[in-house]
Amino acid sequence: MSVIRKPEQLYDVRLVDRHRKTGVVQSKDYDKWLKDLADTEDNAEYITAEQVALDSSPASKHDMDDDDDDDYDEDDDEDEDES
C-alpha cells in the first residue's frame, strides 16, 4: 500500500470520499482544505462552442413506421393457441 504524502493526492476529488470513509481524512480537515484553496477564477478562459449534430439527415419513413414490425408475426400467435 502506498503512502499518500501530498495533500493534492489526499484530497483529490476522485479519492476523497474513499479516504473519508476509511478515516484517512476527516471531514473538518477536508472542509478546511476546500476553504483555504486559492480562487483561480481569474485564470479561467471562457469560450463559446457550437454543438455539432452527429447526423442531420431526417429520419426515413421506415424508421418512423410503427406498424411495420419485422420481429412479430401474427401467425406465430395462432400456432401457440392451437397447441
Side-chain angles (χ1 to χ4, degrees):
M1 179 176 186
S2 64
V3 176
I4 299 174
R5 300 181 192 280
K6 296 181 181 179
E8 292 83 10
Q9 294 173 329
L10 191 62
Y11 299 117
D12 186 305
V13 70
R14 297 166 291 187
L15 302 172
V16 73
D17 285 335
R18 182 185 319 159
H19 293 317
R20 290 169 76 179
K21 288 177 184 174
T22 59
V24 174
V25 171
Q26 293 183 2
S27 293
K28 65 177 182 152
D29 295 332
Y30 181 61
D31 292 341
K32 182 179 180 335
W33 166 262
L34 290 176
K35 184 178 151 283
D36 292 345
L37 285 175
D39 184 2
T40 58
E41 181 181 12
D42 293 338
N43 296 339
E45 181 177 337
Y46 295 94
I47 62 168
T48 56
E50 181 179 329
Q51 182 175 356
V52 180
L54 298 176
D55 183 14
S56 60
S57 63
S60 69
K61 179 180 179 332
H62 178 64
D63 291 341
M64 296 171 46
D65 187 7
D66 290 335
D67 294 335
D68 183 27
D69 188 359
D70 295 335
D71 296 334
Y72 178 74
D73 244 351
E74 289 180 16
D75 295 336
D76 288 342
D77 280 348
E78 291 173 8
D79 292 340
E80 290 178 12
D81 292 338
E82 292 173 6
S83 52

